[in-house]
Amino acid sequence: MGKESKSKGCLGWFLVIVILALVVGAVVYTIKRKMDHSDDDKAAPVPGPPGAIEKKYADALKIAMQFFDVQKSGKLVDNKISWRGDSGLKDGSEAKLDLSKGMYDAGDHMKFGFPLAFTATVLSWAILEYGDQMEAVNQLEPAQESLKWITDYLINAHSSENVLYIQVGDPEADHKCWDRPEDMTEKRPLTMVNTSVPGTEVAAETAAAMASASLVFKTADSTYSSTLLKHAKQLFTFADNHRGSYSENIPEVATYYNSTGYGDELLWAASWLYHATGDKSYLQYVTGKNGEEFADWGSPTWFSWDNKLAGTQVLLSRLSFFGAKGASQNSGLENYRKSAEDVMCGLLPKSPSATSSRTDGGLIWVSEWNALQHPVASAFLAALYSDYMLTSQTPKLKCGDASFKPSDLRKFAKSQADYVLGSNPLKMSFLVGYGDKYPQYVHHRGASIPADSTTGCKDGFKWLDSTKPNPNVAIGALVGGPFLNETYIDSRNNSMQAEPTTYNGAIIVGLLSSLLYERPRFTRVNSDVACLH
């Protein structure tokens, strides 16, 4: 009887202890959850010293920057590519213009003004946001020189207020040849847009290129900067007042760079002109009826040479992030920022609205042709947005019921960059010249033909069909990339995967520049329009 009572007493105390432990545990858990939730609302600290330079991104940036030299047309000054020489010296002569500069579009010898202007705009943006980081690894000056090589060409191509030459070369004739640019003998006809044959998207994109570049050169060369801004204003007015799609008015361009609409370019150009001038009429343009007509708020899109909406949304978001005058009262700007948030939520793998357009290895994958364009461009925007959040001490991004920190966006951006540089199932780099394993059969005429060979238009095709690797390295070329099943066929005849583009060069330079340091650096913003310089 006494033993039984003692046993019951011990059991009672045990139950008391268990209950107390559960109560204490519940209290601790509740407090911790509240603290965690409170942490979500705290702004991430503005980054201090950015730490060490990440060697892989610095090495990759130095390599990627060289592709612009590979692509240059004209009389090459201080030529850094041993197998390249002067070419296209008579381009523009039929209109008594000097269109010898600029850059070839891809593996061919065409100068397509639409994607080339996009190249200049993105390269400008990268320099404006990350020029200090580029300078730390001695890449700022090469970036500025490459940009000026393009804008010199664009200035000459804009021969009068309402005339813009948008193409040098006949793509059908050009693609019937396989020769070095130094040896080409095919005719180089010119294509223009004007008031009779308008091309709003290409004129507006060129305006964006000029406006953004005017900011790049504002301090170093104020005269050149003013010239660029003058052209940008004229081109925007031309694009807006004489609306019409260049793809519809010049059907032959649609085979190569077909535009799906010009509204995004008008908004993109006006956004850059606002940053370059501070003129509120450009801000009213993008937030008023034109924004309502063209912005497609709330419908995320992919950033590319054809569609600038996501880029415009991120660019205009910096105005609300950094408190430009009137930004908080501007509902149009808030629509752009909310749309930018939708884009970011689509990119983050753990977001409720994450896109399913990915390979098993985590690469954003949208198109068989030039598959790497979209993930690299998306990662560049994510890195920018992450930095805007950090700098403005914005603690989190809401995606449905989930929330994400700036570091989550940066992690995504790094994942795409790392995939490109070799962290993929093939264990190969898609950036030519980087790493131990990269494409050897790049679809690129100049790279495929020995520099000492004399080749005409037709007999050069033996080099296209050769089973030997390219004799010249198209250093810095970002090739098209993998298929959805993460295979890559390294063949010169596989232009879908093996051809690099100049605009790919701009977006990879932007992405790598954003990731140069272990920790993101502080974005300096010091004017009413959240100036980029």
Side-chain angles (χ1 to χ4, degrees):
M1 185 79 176
K3 287 182 180 178
E4 188 178 357
S5 297
K6 189 175 181 181
S7 172
K8 286 181 178 178
C10 289
L11 180 62
W13 278 110
F14 176 75
L15 288 172
V16 169
I17 291 169
V18 169
I19 291 167
L20 278 172
L22 289 171
V23 169
V24 170
V27 170
V28 169
Y29 176 73
T30 302
I31 292 172
K32 187 174 187 305
R33 282 204 65 183
K34 285 184 177 179
M35 288 178 68
D36 289 344
H37 182 71
S38 175
D39 284 344
D40 280 346
D41 292 327
K42 285 182 182 176
V46 176
I53 289 172
E54 293 219 39
K55 187 177 184 301
K56 67 177 175 181
Y57 299 132
D59 290 347
L61 177 62
K62 291 172 186 176
I63 288 168
M65 200 72 76
Q66 294 178 65
F67 190 59
F68 296 125
D69 291 322
V70 169
Q71 296 301 92
K72 281 181 179 177
S73 168
K75 188 165 185 61
L76 303 186
V77 180
D78 189 25
N79 181 21
K80 301 175 181 68
I81 307 298
S82 62
W83 48 273
R84 280 301 325 278
D86 298 346
S87 64
L89 297 179
K90 294 182 180 179
D91 282 358
S93 58
E94 72 175 58
K96 297 183 179 177
L97 297 173
D98 179 7
L99 300 181
S100 60
K101 282 189 175 182
M103 294 182 188
Y104 301 118
D105 175 63
D108 54 20
H109 302 152
M110 290 298 300
K111 293 178 189 174
F112 290 114
F114 191 30
L116 183 61
F118 175 70
T119 299
T121 312
V122 172
L123 184 55
S124 293
W125 199 1
I127 293 169
L128 290 165
E129 299 283 14
Y130 301 112
D132 54 345
Q133 302 192 176
M134 291 180 177
E135 190 168 25
V137 292
N138 301 314
Q139 294 306 299
L140 177 57
E141 188 175 341
Q144 291 170 328
E145 289 175 351
S146 294
L147 174 61
K148 190 172 185 295
W149 200 268
I150 299 174
T151 54
D152 283 352
Y153 167 84
L154 295 177
I155 287 171
N156 289 351
H158 183 218
S159 58
S160 62
E161 283 195 37
N162 296 328
V163 175
L164 176 67
Y165 286 85
I166 64 160
Q167 184 172 296
V168 178
D170 173 356
E172 189 173 333
D174 182 86
H175 290 171
K176 289 178 180 177
C177 295
W178 193 268
D179 50 1
R180 299 172 69 245
E182 295 80 2
D183 299 330
M184 61 179 169
T185 56
E186 54 268 28
K187 290 183 179 180
R188 306 278 288 168
L190 305 177
T191 305
M192 74 165 81
V193 292
N194 52 35
T195 55
S196 302
V197 186
T200 295
E201 54 277 270
V202 65
E205 181 59 64
T206 308
M210 301 275 207
S212 56
S214 76
L215 283 168
V216 171
F217 297 109
K218 190 171 184 177
T219 302
D221 191 340
S222 59
T223 302
Y224 189 67
S225 174
S226 297
T227 298
L228 287 166
L229 195 53
K230 176 185 174 184
H231 282 279
K233 291 176 180 178
Q234 290 179 354
L235 280 163
F236 179 75
T237 301
F238 166 49
D240 192 34
N241 289 347
H242 301 277
R243 294 187 180 184
S245 171
Y246 96 128
S247 297
E248 294 175 8
N249 292 323
I250 312 171
E252 54 267 30
V253 305
T255 304
Y256 299 94
Y257 287 101
N258 180 49
S259 170
T260 54
Y262 56 68
D264 55 309
E265 278 82 24
L266 286 171
L267 299 177
W268 175 239
S271 302
W272 276 111
L273 277 160
Y274 177 60
H275 279 85
T277 65
D279 183 340
K280 287 186 169 54
S281 68
Y282 293 115
L283 184 59
Q284 291 163 357
Y285 186 97
V286 298
T287 56
K289 66 177 184 178
N290 292 290
E292 292 169 4
E293 183 178 358
F294 298 128
D296 207 11
W297 291 314
S299 299
T301 53
W302 299 108
F303 185 45
S304 71
W305 59 263
D306 178 41
N307 195 326
K308 319 299 165 31
L309 285 180
T312 302
Q313 290 153 8
V314 171
L315 179 62
L316 290 176
S317 292
R318 70 186 335 281
L319 297 176
S320 53
F321 271 122
F322 301 134
K325 277 188 179 177
S328 59
Q329 293 83 37
N330 192 314
S331 60
L333 276 182
E334 283 307 302
N335 286 332
Y336 282 105
R337 180 164 168 179
K338 287 174 184 174
S339 295
E341 289 176 353
D342 290 340
V343 171
M344 296 302 130
C345 290
L347 299 177
L348 290 163
K350 295 181 180 179
S351 163
S353 54
T355 179
S356 59
S357 301
R358 301 174 202 264
T359 67
D360 289 343
L363 181 76
I364 293 284
W365 198 91
V366 179
S367 170
E368 280 191 329
W369 279 95
N370 194 10
L372 288 176
Q373 178 190 188
H374 295 104
V376 174
S378 298
F380 176 51
L381 293 185
L384 285 166
Y385 207 81
S386 171
D387 279 352
Y388 295 168
M389 289 179 69
L390 275 172
T391 304
S392 61
Q393 293 191 279
T394 303
K396 61 185 178 180
L397 168 69
K398 290 285 288 182
C399 300
D401 294 331
S403 63
F404 299 91
K405 297 177 180 179
S407 57
D408 295 314
L409 284 170
R410 188 172 175 84
K411 182 180 178 182
F412 163 76
K414 292 182 85 167
S415 75
Q416 304 301 286
D418 291 346
Y419 188 105
V420 168
L421 298 180
S423 294
N424 55 61
L426 293 172
K427 304 300 180 189
M428 72 174 289
S429 163
F430 294 102
L431 181 67
V432 176
Y434 181 84
D436 297 326
K437 182 183 178 185
Y438 51 82
Q440 301 294 309
Y441 295 83
V442 180
H443 181 92
H444 190 279
R445 288 184 214 169
S448 72
I449 302 173
D452 59 356
S453 113
T454 303
T455 306
C457 168
K458 298 291 186 184
D459 59 342
F461 278 102
K462 66 183 179 184
W463 300 109
L464 171 65
D465 299 326
S466 170
T467 57
K468 295 180 180 178
N470 287 351
N472 309 311
V473 178
I475 186 78
L478 181 64
V479 296
F483 286 137
L484 181 57
N485 65 1
E486 292 176 302
T487 59
Y488 179 84
I489 301 168
D490 194 9
S491 166
R492 269 187 295 274
N493 276 297
N494 179 19
S495 55
M496 184 181 288
Q497 289 187 290
E499 186 169 20
T501 58
T502 303
Y503 49 90
N504 274 11
I507 55 176
I508 191 64
V509 161
L511 176 56
L512 294 170
S513 298
S514 74
L515 300 175
L516 276 175
Y517 284 99
E518 289 176 350
R519 296 186 297 279
R521 64 40 171 155
F522 181 82
T523 305
R524 291 187 296 274
V525 181
N526 57 9
S527 85
D528 290 343
V529 295
C531 191
L532 288 147
H533 66 291

